[in-house]
Amino acid sequence: MSQPSNEGEPPGDLTAAEVWVWQAFRNGSSLDLRSGEPELDDPDGEHEWGPERTVRARVLARLLLDDEATSLPGRVASLHLTGAYVTGSLTLSGGEIDKFVELRHCRFEEEVRLTEAHLRTARLIGCRIPRLEAARVKVEGDLHLARCVIPDGIRLTDANIGTDLLLNEARVGSGDRTRAIAADGLSVSQEVQASLLTVDGELGLRGATIGGSLFMYGSVLRNTQGRYALHAPQLTVEQSAHFADPKRENARLIQGSTPPAGTYGPFGAAGARPPRSQHFECTGGVKLDDSRFGGSLVLDNARFTLERDQEISLRRLSTPELCFTSPAPERGLIVLSGATVENLVDKVSSWPRDERLWMAGFTYQRLIHRGHFSLQQRLDWLAAATPEYSPGPYEQLAAVYRAGGEDADARAVLLEKQRRRRETLPVAGKLWGLIQDWTVAYGYRPGQAALWMVLLWLAGFAVFFRHEPPALKLNESPQWNAALYTLDLLLPVISFGQDQAWAPEGGYQWLAAVMILLGWILATTVAAGATRLLRRQ
């Protein structure tokens, strides 16, 4: 019988803890180095961890990059390590790592470097890592960073994640760096779950692509050193992005769905921990210019704190549904210029009442109100967005009302547009506009024009009933009828044969001319209103 081979046995320079890690790796089993006391086992705590749980980073690198520790027969080598103190910098940059990696509740002395590394799946859960450098990393499966504390930030620039990226309940950044998470150009094939995430510094997702949805329920973004807390222009999310309150029905998205047991059990399960009762909070600007969301962008009950020179910028954004139902920030701008949405879901309280709303070129097809949102409040919404008169927002709102069968509201919006336009005209134009508004409401209230027509007819009838004008041709004129004569003066085109048979003199001639002129104006207004009504029907 041949002697057993020493291939894969631990080298002689390893400590006792490292030998345990080596053997567990070969066996594909989990190794837990924790003491069993939660206060002592907190990776972000102040208690020192002794040699019995200390593992050098270069030993982990040898396990993952070299083939020294071959798997035992019938086993798959993998790293499942809990509660270790990893000294030195774990450097796997550029490496090909085909082993499963899962590190839980570990404390890293120095940064973890995964730049341009290629991994199958990497799970770092509940760890304290000074900094994670993972630019251009490629992970075929999941990348888990749930509940990690990473004070010096994360770099995921141009990284490629094959399935999900999990950042639930992580704490990233300390406010010392302007950028806490640099993930420009990031590509995630499925979901990004970042609920209850706390970020001190900028979260950068410029040009990132997410094949599923982005979830940030109850997360907190703060950047007091720079302009933006969320800087994500040209972001593409194939499904939906949610910035909202954590709720019980969103438990899977808050706690994480993998590994199979989750980071915590479902709500209501024994030992389960409910989500923190908090809103999505953002201190600093938000930039989502030129971004595209395939399903919806939800900003529901979120709390935004802006400085006067900061903004929530959604310029040229595109999404089938924009849910903007958060309280309006006390300072800063909300910019929707050039954005295109199908459904706009909003509240009265979501929009600033002063001149801090910009939406030139903003197009939408339907309005869905959360709570009461009257026509006058909607007109105030437009006025806040157009401190200087612009016809586009009024025409857009009128088109939406008309498409929804609310023709009266559409006319009211267009009437308000004319009144705003009147403010930009010279004195003569303003005077003429006031006359049009007072008499016929610029033609948008045909009933008002018809009432004026009736009043003029009654006045004319009263005058001409007492003052019959002389006939143009004696013995050829029809019988005098003051009512029909007044109608002939007021109604263009239609003739009852009275106006051509009588010749009023003096002031009555001037009165007849004025009634003819007013009749043309009023009749045209009534006809225009009737035409709009018939066209809609």
Side-chain angles (χ1 to χ4, degrees):
M1 181 180 295
S2 61
Q3 295 295 322
S5 173
N6 291 327
E7 182 181 359
E9 291 299 319
D13 60 344
L14 301 186
T15 66
E18 292 168 349
V19 170
W20 297 338
V21 172
W22 193 282
Q23 297 291 16
F25 177 82
R26 295 186 64 201
N27 196 44
S29 57
S30 299
L31 176 63
D32 192 341
L33 299 177
R34 290 179 294 181
S35 67
E37 298 185 27
E39 184 178 355
L40 299 179
D41 290 331
D42 182 4
D44 196 38
E46 297 180 355
H47 293 278
E48 294 186 1
W49 291 2
E52 72 280 359
R53 56 195 304 182
T54 299
V55 179
R56 289 170 292 175
R58 63 185 181 89
V59 175
L60 299 182
R62 286 173 67 178
L63 290 172
L64 296 172
L65 296 175
D66 301 336
D67 294 327
E68 293 182 72
T70 57
S71 59
L72 295 174
R75 309 296 292 182
V76 177
S78 56
L79 183 61
H80 299 266
L81 180 59
T82 301
Y85 177 41
V86 182
T87 59
S89 175
L90 179 57
T91 301
L92 304 174
S93 298
E96 293 281 339
I97 302 162
D98 60 358
K99 308 296 191 298
F100 184 92
V101 178
E102 180 177 272
L103 299 170
R104 288 175 169 267
H105 309 291
C106 293
R107 178 186 294 176
F108 288 81
E109 181 185 38
E110 298 180 18
E111 66 182 15
V112 174
R113 299 172 182 170
L114 301 177
T115 303
E116 297 189 16
H118 185 181
L119 301 94
R120 289 189 176 179
T121 293
R123 294 176 177 171
L124 304 174
I125 300 172
C127 298
R128 188 190 191 281
I129 308 169
R131 180 169 175 80
L132 176 61
E133 283 284 351
R136 298 177 299 284
V137 68
K138 182 176 181 180
V139 182
E140 294 182 7
D142 299 332
L143 175 59
H144 288 214
L145 299 170
R147 301 195 310 281
C148 285
V149 177
I150 311 176
D152 289 337
I154 301 172
R155 185 185 301 276
L156 284 170
T157 307
D158 296 319
N160 190 308
I161 312 300
T163 51
D164 299 326
L165 171 62
L166 272 66
L167 289 162
N168 297 325
E169 297 189 84
R171 288 183 288 153
V172 183
S174 59
D176 295 334
R177 292 174 179 258
T178 302
R179 303 195 78 185
I181 300 180
D184 296 348
L186 170 70
S187 177
V188 180
S189 296
Q190 297 183 17
E191 295 178 351
V192 174
Q193 298 181 18
S195 296
L196 302 180
L197 167 69
T198 300
V199 179
D200 280 298
E202 181 183 290
L203 168 56
L205 289 168
R206 182 186 184 97
T209 301
I210 300 172
S213 294
L214 168 63
F215 301 104
M216 298 196 74
Y217 293 112
S219 296
V220 177
L221 307 182
R222 291 186 294 255
N223 186 10
T224 59
Q225 304 295 323
R227 183 175 177 83
Y228 295 104
L230 175 59
H231 186 260
Q234 301 172 0
L235 171 66
T236 299
V237 179
E238 295 298 337
Q239 297 182 19
S240 300
H242 297 260
F243 303 85
D245 296 345
K247 297 179 180 179
R248 184 174 297 274
E249 57 266 29
N250 300 323
R252 179 187 69 83
L253 306 173
I254 295 171
Q255 298 174 342
S257 57
T258 52
T263 56
Y264 289 108
F267 295 157
R273 188 176 78 176
R276 299 197 302 269
S277 178
Q278 67 178 47
H279 308 292
F280 173 84
E281 298 178 8
C282 182
T283 301
V286 175
K287 187 170 186 177
L288 292 171
D289 297 355
D290 301 295
S291 294
R292 184 179 67 84
F293 301 87
S296 61
L297 171 60
V298 180
L299 300 168
D300 182 28
N301 207 28
R303 301 299 195 266
F304 294 97
T305 303
L306 307 176
E307 298 299 327
R308 295 187 182 277
D309 61 342
Q310 293 176 331
E311 60 189 21
I312 300 172
S313 180
L314 308 179
R315 292 175 174 88
R316 299 174 299 280
L317 175 141
S318 175
T319 180
E321 181 168 290
L322 171 61
C323 179
F324 199 95
T325 51
S326 301
E330 295 182 0
R331 296 182 297 274
L333 300 174
I334 297 177
V335 184
L336 293 166
S337 302
T340 303
V341 306
E342 294 180 16
N343 298 330
L344 174 60
V345 184
D346 64 349
K347 293 180 178 179
V348 174
S349 59
S350 299
W351 307 109
R353 297 181 181 275
D354 47 15
E355 300 174 359
R356 295 185 293 114
L357 173 61
W358 296 358
M359 55 182 192
F362 175 43
T363 60
Y364 48 94
Q365 298 179 18
R366 284 177 295 277
L367 291 171
I368 302 173
H369 306 153
R370 292 274 185 88
H372 181 67
F373 209 139
S374 67
L375 174 61
Q376 184 56 52
Q377 289 169 326
R378 190 60 78 179
L379 292 175
D380 293 342
W381 175 63
L382 291 184
T386 54
E388 296 183 1
Y389 167 71
S390 175
Y394 289 90
E395 292 168 357
Q396 170 66 44
L397 180 59
V400 170
Y401 279 142
R402 187 176 295 113
E406 301 177 63
D407 198 57
D409 289 348
R411 291 198 303 272
V413 173
L414 294 175
L415 173 59
E416 184 64 21
K417 182 190 81 167
Q418 292 295 338
R419 289 170 174 168
R420 290 291 310 279
R421 175 179 175 274
R422 186 175 69 215
E423 298 172 359
T424 67
L425 300 177
V427 175
K430 289 180 179 178
L431 180 60
W432 175 239
L434 283 170
I435 294 173
Q436 286 184 296
D437 192 359
W438 186 60
T439 55
V440 298
Y442 287 98
Y444 291 111
R445 292 178 183 169
Q448 183 174 322
L451 178 61
W452 276 105
M453 184 78 79
V454 171
L455 292 176
L456 286 174
W457 176 76
L458 290 174
F461 170 72
V463 171
F464 290 114
F465 180 78
R466 295 186 178 185
H467 301 87
E468 179 180 342
L472 283 176
K473 296 180 181 180
L474 296 176
N475 303 324
E476 295 184 12
S477 298
Q479 183 178 357
W480 167 249
N481 188 314
L484 292 179
Y485 178 74
T486 306
L487 280 178
D488 260 348
L489 294 177
L490 291 173
L491 297 179
V493 182
I494 299 175
S495 176
F496 296 99
Q498 292 283 328
D499 57 336
Q500 300 298 324
W502 310 95
E505 299 175 342
Y508 299 106
Q509 185 178 24
W510 284 105
L511 175 61
V514 170
M515 294 190 72
I516 291 172
L517 179 62
L518 293 176
W520 270 100
I521 295 173
L522 294 173
T524 303
T525 301
V526 172
T531 300
R532 281 193 296 269
L533 179 61
L534 292 173
R535 184 184 299 117
R536 183 173 66 84
Q537 292 177 342

